[in-house]
Amino acid sequence: MSHVAFRERGEDLRLEADYVVVGSGAGGAAAAVTLARSGAEVAIIEAGAWRDPEDYPSSTYGAMRDLFDDWGTQLARGRALWPIVQARTVGGTTVINSAICVRTPGDIFAQWQRERGIEGLAERVWAHQDTLERELRVEEVPEPARGNSNRLAMLGASRAGYDSHWIRRYVAGCEGTGQCLQGCKKTRKQSTNLNYVPEVLARGGHVVSSAPVKRVAIEGRRAIGVRGRFEHPRTKAWGADFFVRARRAVVVAASVTHSPALLERSGVRSPALGKYFRAHPGTGVFGIYDEPVDTNTGATQGWASTAFRADPGLKLETLSIPFEMVASRLSGGGARLIERLREYRHLCMWCHAVRAESVGTVRNGLFDKPVVRYGLDREDMLRFRQGMILLAKTHFAAGAKKILPGIHGMPYELGPDQVSLLEDAPLDPRAYIAILSHLFGGCVMGTDPRDAVTDARGRVHGYDGLVVADASVIPSNLGVNPQHTIMALAMAFAEDLASE
Amino acid sequence: MKATVKSFIEHAMIALYPRTDALPGIEDAGISEFLDRYREESTLLMWLGLIAGAFAFIASPILTVHWPLPSFLLPARVLDEHAHRVTSSQLYLLRQAIFLIKLAAGLCWGAHPAVRAHFAMAPYAPDPGTWRAS
Ligand SMILES: Cc1cc2nc3c(=O)[nH]c(=O)nc-3n(C[C@H](O)[C@H](O)[C@H](O)COP(=O)(O)OP(=O)(O)OC[C@H]3O[C@@H](n4cnc5c(N)ncnc54)[C@H](O)[C@@H]3O)c2cc1C
Ligand code: SF4
């Protein structure tokens, strides 16, 4: 077994394995461990460094520097510039996410069958989800770790009369530190750097970290390996070149933005490459309460509702963002901003994720940076606004004295009798501060090669030994958190690959 | 780092997060060291973004408080008004540029132990910046 970290120039690396997996996040780690369990020799090639919990940062600045892809500064270009947040580290985005675990809804498989001719995945995906839940010790947020924000949300939803629940997460024994975004130093969150990646090593595999893949090497129509150059984890200076040969196949799992860009610069030809980018754009509404909420304590995300998934197409959740981010998220500046921040202990943010139908594109840009073009159409903006109204009503039902909508052109704060003002909130996305964290598409699967990059087993149409196994194959929005679906799909694809 | 560029950024950040009777300002939160670190560790694009944000802040009082002066020549009360209004400018790109500088300043101000103590939060442990090297 071997882990190869950053190497200086001149110390070039050549390695060979049965399977080469690009990326060690949700999809990559799940695919790699499945292949390794089949007895194959697997090499995981990961752009980011391998950071163990004792290496994790504490501050948000440290998280952006050490864990986020490009410091979290990648923007979706549309009418508004909304950031796309992903990680670049061994374990991928599972290191910085909230580990919320939701089984793939049945209607999604029906939709994929109807729209893309994909059959026979449902039972297999659910079976893998059973395994994942057992292995990654999924549990409901325990009572002592719930924190006031999550409890208030539960109260608000029940008073407002809709269904909601404590979240189930890939977290065993959460201590409620509210630090999921900076990596869980308590090792409670089961990010893939703690389990599946080490298991691949233990089964005789390899992990090459700080090693962004530049190209998949393709001979004729067959993928034969990957090449790239090490990147120093701190200085970002280039190091040695590497080439890792794949005896059987290359599995690309570099994320929704990086997988299509990597295939594009590798010369893969597909009319659907980079198309059908989708997301769950989301924003938050703060509520301000008489009693201190201390939103920084308790599980980062502990409460959710899927009651509005079908209509109007929303998921609601609590979210404790770090204090540093609250400082910039509240509107205003100068003495008035500081005055507003004095209320910090009394506020908490709840957010929505919109099951948006709008689609965008991903292209390989300058310096191999993915370029995402994406904006929300009017229907999606109506959903977006509707979500904010629901959050506002839930806050007031929970006893908030006011809410902070954070919408440009609207009052800073609204009282309980002013919620109706939100019904006329602008539909211009530039009026909102939103982020994209659940991403889909770019290498979508389907039976028709004119409209899909891969088939229903993740194999790139028209190529041999080239599989995609991450969120980029997902051809629709899920309306629920995607990690569980991504991991189970990747396991199903890897299982098929191993049996070929 | 060129002292003038840095001092322009500091000026904008101090105006956005000023010292008040209630709370320490960013000038009490190690802004100078923070900017040195940010310049060294972040990307060129991010640094250029901060410079752009600072210049946007300095050049925009005419749009916000209608004073035809750079922000560093404004009297204190007018500067504070500018710092407030510029965050909600009608011009999206100006708003975004200021958001960027406010975000970076927030990373410094919000992580400072003196500020965190005001909100009953423990100081952050240092960011080790380490990784598995073998
Ligand atoms: C803040 C946040 C919170 C979230 N919370 C949840 C949640 O609670 N539940 C949930 O279900 N989902 C959540 N998500 C979404 C979820 O984490 C992602 O959908 C999921 O991790 C995507 O899996 P992936 O395998 O496609 O990509 P990733 O997990 O992002 O992994 C891709 C990996 O590929 C690497 N890589 C990229 N380019 C290259 C290259 N050229 N060479 C080598 N390696 C490369 C990256 O460094 C990265 O490690 C959250 C996302 C964010 C940002
Ligand atoms: S809330 Fe804290 S203890 Fe719980 S999973 Fe997140 S980081 Fe770990």
Side-chain angles (χ1 to χ4, degrees):
Chain A
M1 74 179 211
S2 69
H3 168 228
V4 183
F6 173 79
R7 282 194 179 180
E8 297 288 354
R9 277 182 201 213
E11 299 172 30
D12 290 358
L13 172 75
R14 287 185 76 85
L15 196 66
E16 190 170 315
D18 293 327
Y19 298 101
V20 174
V21 178
V22 182
S24 60
V33 82
T34 308
L35 292 167
R37 286 174 184 176
S38 76
E41 185 183 356
V42 177
I44 297 177
I45 319 298
E46 166 56 51
W50 192 335
R51 296 186 200 265
D52 291 306
E54 58 271 24
D55 301 314
Y56 289 165
S58 303
S59 71
T60 308
Y61 175 88
M64 291 168 75
R65 182 191 66 186
D66 295 345
L67 301 176
F68 284 25
D69 186 22
D70 226 356
W71 288 73
T73 59
Q74 189 178 9
L75 299 173
R77 302 183 194 175
R79 247 182 116 192
L81 299 168
W82 285 351
I84 296 177
V85 183
Q86 301 183 109
R88 187 181 179 94
T89 185
V90 170
T93 308
T94 70
V95 176
I96 63 164
N97 75 9
S98 300
I100 299 170
C101 170
V102 187
R103 291 170 86 82
T104 317
D107 58 81
I108 290 296
F109 297 107
Q111 183 184 356
W112 292 353
Q113 181 170 15
R114 213 171 46 243
E115 295 174 359
R116 302 211 149 246
I118 295 165
E119 294 188 340
L121 270 180
E123 298 303 328
R124 295 183 62 205
V125 163
W126 287 328
H128 284 297
Q129 289 178 339
D130 288 339
T131 309
L132 283 161
E133 287 171 35
R134 205 175 47 249
E135 292 185 347
L136 302 185
R137 297 153 72 195
V138 170
E139 63 179 40
E140 190 178 275
V141 177
E143 215 285 317
R146 283 180 188 159
N148 293 334
S149 172
N150 297 315
R151 289 195 191 98
L152 283 168
M154 184 60 94
L155 177 70
S158 84
R159 285 187 181 158
Y162 64 85
D163 282 343
S164 71
H165 55 271
W166 304 118
I167 290 176
R168 295 173 74 240
R169 299 173 305 156
Y170 304 102
V171 177
C174 177
E175 295 188 30
T177 63
Q179 289 243 304
C180 291
L181 195 75
Q182 291 102 309
C184 178
K185 281 191 266 302
K186 305 277 183 190
T187 66
R188 302 307 168 132
K189 182 168 74 177
Q190 302 302 302
S191 46
T192 61
N193 56 327
L194 302 186
N195 36 64
Y196 289 161
V197 175
E199 184 178 334
V200 170
L201 271 188
R203 289 180 180 273
H206 314 271
V207 176
V208 185
S209 63
S210 302
V213 171
K214 193 137 184 79
R215 278 194 177 73
V216 178
I218 298 175
E219 265 179 21
R221 305 294 277 185
R222 176 162 202 95
I224 57 150
V226 300
R227 57 179 88 252
R229 187 170 284 175
F230 285 95
E231 183 191 68
H232 192 276
R234 190 167 46 79
T235 65
K236 307 293 172 206
W238 292 118
D241 290 334
F242 62 84
F243 177 68
V244 187
R245 179 172 289 281
R247 287 187 284 263
R248 294 169 71 178
V250 173
V251 178
V252 174
S255 80
V256 163
T257 60
H258 289 285
S259 289
L262 172 59
L263 292 189
E264 185 188 329
R265 59 180 186 265
S266 305
V268 168
R269 304 235 178 285
S270 162
L273 187 58
K275 290 192 184 160
Y276 305 114
F277 171 93
R278 292 172 202 264
H280 289 157
T283 193
V285 174
F286 287 102
I288 301 199
Y289 293 79
D290 283 327
E291 297 299 317
V293 182
D294 289 327
T295 181
N296 55 302
T297 60
T300 308
Q301 298 199 266
W303 167 92
S305 171
T306 49
F308 307 100
R309 177 176 172 270
D311 184 21
L314 293 164
K315 187 169 186 230
L316 308 182
E317 292 169 347
T318 45
L319 174 62
S320 159
I321 56 173
F323 175 63
E324 298 99 298
M325 287 191 165
V326 175
S328 51
R329 181 67 173 65
L330 295 189
S331 54
R336 251 163 297 177
L337 173 63
I338 303 295
E339 190 56 31
R340 289 171 178 182
L341 280 160
R342 286 182 68 194
E343 293 190 293
Y344 171 72
R345 292 193 62 195
H346 293 258
L347 59 78
C348 59
M349 185 169 100
W350 302 341
C351 62
H352 67 39
V354 180
R355 193 178 173 189
E357 292 302 330
S358 307
V359 291
T361 59
V362 188
R363 290 274 171 260
N364 188 48
L366 277 180
F367 308 113
D368 295 344
K369 300 248 187 254
V371 177
V372 175
R373 291 187 197 283
Y374 179 73
L376 293 194
D377 63 17
R378 189 183 152 77
E379 287 305 306
D380 284 334
M381 283 310 300
L382 286 167
R383 290 189 182 96
F384 192 97
R385 186 169 72 183
Q386 186 59 26
M388 299 190 75
I389 295 170
L390 281 165
L391 292 169
K393 286 183 173 166
T394 311
H395 271 303
F396 286 125
K401 58 180 181 185
K402 52 193 181 184
I403 57 127
L404 313 179
I407 304 171
H408 175 70
M410 294 209 59
Y412 172 68
E413 55 189 37
L414 298 177
D417 50 353
Q418 291 176 298
V419 176
S420 60
L421 288 180
L422 288 174
E423 281 162 19
D424 294 318
L427 293 175
D428 181 344
R430 292 173 299 183
Y432 299 86
I433 298 173
I435 71 158
L436 312 181
S437 59
H438 298 167
L439 315 173
F440 310 93
C443 302
V444 295
M445 59 179 167
T447 47
D448 183 352
R450 289 166 305 180
D451 202 31
V453 177
T454 81
D455 66 12
R457 300 161 81 178
R459 298 176 303 191
V460 176
H461 286 295
Y463 291 81
D464 293 321
L466 185 57
V467 169
V468 183
D470 61 14
S472 70
V473 298
I474 296 179
S476 67
N477 256 346
L478 301 179
V480 294
N481 314 64
Q483 182 181 340
H484 214 25
T485 302
I486 298 164
M487 294 186 89
L489 270 179
M491 285 179 150
F493 293 173
E495 202 173 54
D496 290 338
L497 188 58
S499 65
E500 272 177 10
Chain B
M1 184 188 317
K2 287 267 185 306
T4 42
V5 168
K6 183 177 161 189
S7 54
F8 284 155
I9 300 173
E10 278 185 14
H11 157 75
M13 288 183 164
I14 291 171
L16 286 163
Y17 292 84
R19 182 187 293 152
T20 64
D21 292 342
L23 280 169
I26 198 169
E27 62 211 287
D28 309 306
I31 183 183
S32 178
E33 301 77 44
F34 173 82
L35 284 177
D36 291 342
R37 194 153 69 102
Y38 186 97
R39 170 71 191 99
E40 193 196 319
E41 296 179 339
S42 74
T43 63
L44 178 64
L45 214 59
M46 287 171 68
W47 180 246
L48 292 177
L50 272 199
I51 296 176
F55 278 99
F57 184 90
I58 288 166
S60 53
I62 185 74
L63 302 173
T64 56
V65 286
H66 313 299
W67 280 55
L69 288 176
S71 59
F72 50 77
L73 294 181
L74 296 176
R77 267 208 0 260
V78 184
L79 174 62
D80 191 55
E81 189 59 34
H82 169 61
H84 183 65
R85 289 192 193 173
V86 73
T87 60
S88 51
S89 160
Q90 292 304 323
L91 302 174
Y92 181 61
L93 286 181
L94 176 58
R95 221 161 60 229
Q96 288 299 106
I98 300 301
F99 183 74
L100 182 68
I101 205 156
K102 202 173 139 189
L103 177 72
L107 294 177
C108 169
W109 182 81
H112 197 268
V115 176
R116 293 176 64 78
H118 270 269
F119 298 102
M121 287 186 284
Y124 276 137
D127 298 324
T130 49
W131 61 91
R132 204 189 271 206
S134 62

